[in-house]
Amino acid sequence: MDAIRKQATKLREQVAKQQQAVFKQFGGGGYGGSDNLVSDDIELQQHQKLEKLYMSTRAAKHFQRDIVRGVEGYIVTGSKQVEIGTKFSEDSRKYGVENTCTSGNTLSKAALSFARAQGQMEKERGNLLKALGTQVAEPLRAMVMGAPLEDARHLAQRYDRMQQEAEAQAIEVSKRQVKVRESAGNVDYTSKLEAAEARLQELKSNMATLGKEAVAAMAAVESQQQRLTLQRLIALVESERFYHQRVLQILDQLEGEMVSERQRIEASPNVAVDNSMPPPPSYEEVNGGFVAQTYDGLTDSMGYFLGEVTHSYQAESDVELNLSVGDYVVVRKVSNNGWAEGECMGKAGWFPFGYIERRERVLASKVAEVF
C-alpha cells in the first residue's frame, strides 16, 4: 500500500509540473481576468491592448449615458419652467390690456412690455430644450445603443471565451503527455496526444485572428466615441451660450423701456392735488374775475384755448369735471388757486389746471369730441 501511495503522489507531482510548464508557456495575464495562454510578446501586447480598449469604451459609454440622462432631466424641468413662464406672461398681458387705473397707464405699458419679453424668453428656452434633445441626447443615445459598439464587444467576448477554451485544451495536452510517457509509447495515447496538440494549435491560431479583429473593432468604436462625444458637448455649450445671449438682449431691451418710462414719469410735473388746496370757486366768485389770458400768459387775447388731458381726474363734487387721459378740454377760465373751468364731452365744470397741457393745433375730429 505504501508503494502504491508513493507512486500516486509522484504521479500527481508530475502532472502539476506539466501543468505549470504549459501555463508558463502560454501565460501572460490580461483581458477578461485571465492570466494564461499568451505565448509571445505580440500576443501579449494584443491581449493587453484589447483589455485597455474594453475598459476605455465601457467608461465612455457610461459617460455618454450620464450626459443623456442629465440632458433629459434638464429638458423635463425646463419644460415645466416654460409652462410656468408662459402662464406668467399671459397674466401680465391680461393686466396690461384690461387695466382700468384712473391715474395713468404707465403700469399697463410696463406689464405689456414684460409680458412680451417673458414670452420671448420662454420661446428661446423652448428652442434650447429642442436643440439639446435633437443635437445632444439623441445622437449619444443612438451610439450607446448602436450596433458598432455591441458588435465590437461581442468580438471581445468571443475572444475571451476562446482563450478560456484554449487554456482548458492546454491542460488536456499536458495530461496526454503524461499518459504517453507513462505508457511507454502506447499508440492510442500518442494518437490522442497528437489530436489534442493539433486542436490547441488551431485554437491559438483562431484566437490570434479573432484578437486582431476585436482590437480593430474596439479601436474604431473608441475613436468614434471620443469624437462624437466631444462634438455633442460643444453643441451643448453653443446652444446654452446662444440662449443666454438672446435672453440678455431681451432683458436689456426690457430694462431700457422700463427705465425710460420711469425717467419720463419722474421728469413730469407733480400734478397731485394738495390736501390743503381750496375747493374750486363758484361761478359767482369768478364771474368777471381771473380769465385765461391773465394767467401766466398761457392764453391769447381771445381768452379760450384747447388743452389735452395728461392725467386723469375723478370729480369729487357736482361742479367738478371728470377727465381722462387723451381728452381735449375747452378752457374758459383759470383761477389763481390752481383750478380751471372748461368744457369737455358736452359737460362743463372745474378741474385742476395742472392736469392738462395747452395745444396749439388739434385735429378737427378731436375738436368735435369736445362738444
Side-chain angles (χ1 to χ4, degrees), residues 15-26:
V15 171
K17 289 180 180 179
Q18 291 293 332
Q19 289 177 342
Q20 290 175 1
V22 173
F23 291 156
K24 184 177 181 180
Q25 179 184 2
F26 298 106

Side-chain angles (χ1 to χ4, degrees), residues 43-259:
E43 290 186 15
L44 175 61
Q45 293 174 3
Q46 176 177 281
H47 197 73
Q48 291 175 341
K49 185 175 182 179
L50 183 58
E51 184 176 15
K52 292 179 180 178
L53 285 169
Y54 191 91
M55 295 174 63
S56 172
T57 54
R58 182 177 59 183
K61 176 181 178 180
H62 291 168
F63 180 49
Q64 290 175 331
R65 185 179 296 161
D66 291 339
I67 295 175
V68 172
R69 289 173 179 172
V71 170
E72 289 176 342
Y74 186 86
I75 291 175
V76 171
T77 57
S79 299
K80 187 61 177 179
Q81 289 179 325
V82 170
E83 180 182 345
I84 295 173
T86 301
K87 180 63 167 57
F88 191 12
S89 173
E90 293 175 352
D91 292 341
S92 299
R93 186 195 63 80
K94 182 178 180 181
Y95 175 82
V97 171
E98 299 178 357
N99 176 37
T100 57
C101 181
T102 60
S103 60
N105 60 353
T106 301
L107 183 57
S108 297
K109 291 180 179 178
L112 290 174
S113 297
F114 178 81
R116 184 194 69 251
Q118 185 69 35
Q120 291 175 344
M121 289 190 293
E122 297 310 328
K123 181 179 179 180
E124 294 297 334
R125 190 194 300 273
N127 292 337
L128 169 64
L129 299 179
K130 182 177 179 181
L132 293 181
T134 58
Q135 298 179 22
V136 180
E138 291 181 7
L140 290 179
R141 185 188 301 109
M143 186 164 192
V144 169
M145 306 300 295
L149 175 60
E150 293 304 315
D151 291 345
R153 292 168 68 88
H154 288 160
L155 283 175
Q157 291 166 358
R158 283 177 56 196
Y159 176 84
D160 186 40
R161 290 193 296 269
M162 187 172 292
Q163 183 184 31
Q164 295 174 4
E165 185 178 354
E167 290 175 356
Q169 187 64 27
I171 295 174
E172 181 66 20
V173 168
S174 176
K175 293 179 179 179
R176 296 291 180 186
Q177 290 173 343
V178 172
K179 289 183 178 181
V180 168
R181 284 195 297 270
E182 292 178 347
S183 64
N186 183 286
V187 176
D188 185 45
Y189 285 169
T190 302
S191 175
K192 290 182 179 180
L193 173 61
E194 291 174 353
E197 289 176 341
R199 175 58 180 163
L200 178 60
Q201 292 302 320
E202 180 185 1
L203 288 173
K204 286 182 60 181
S205 176
N206 292 341
M207 190 176 71
T209 302
L210 185 59
K212 292 178 181 179
E213 294 178 1
V215 167
M218 294 293 283
V221 169
E222 181 188 53
S223 176
Q224 186 182 14
Q225 281 179 329
Q226 297 293 311
R227 184 178 64 257
L228 179 63
T229 306
L230 178 59
Q231 291 174 349
R232 295 311 95 198
L233 282 177
I234 293 174
L236 186 152
V237 172
E238 289 177 345
S239 298
E240 286 270 14
R241 180 172 176 269
F242 179 76
Y243 163 71
H244 290 293
Q245 285 178 335
R246 285 290 299 129
V247 169
L248 182 59
Q249 293 173 359
I250 295 170
L251 291 175
D252 284 342
Q253 181 181 355
L254 176 61
E255 182 188 28
E257 294 174 358
M258 288 186 167
V259 169

Side-chain angles (χ1 to χ4, degrees), residues 283 305 319-321 323 328-334 339-351 370:
Y283 284 98
F305 68 91
V319 299
E320 297 178 17
L321 187 63
L323 300 179
Y328 283 84
V329 184
V330 175
V331 181
R332 299 185 295 200
K333 290 184 177 67
V334 178
W339 289 87
E341 188 274 334
E343 183 176 352
C344 177
M345 307 293 283
K347 296 182 181 180
W350 292 93
F351 54 87
V370 175

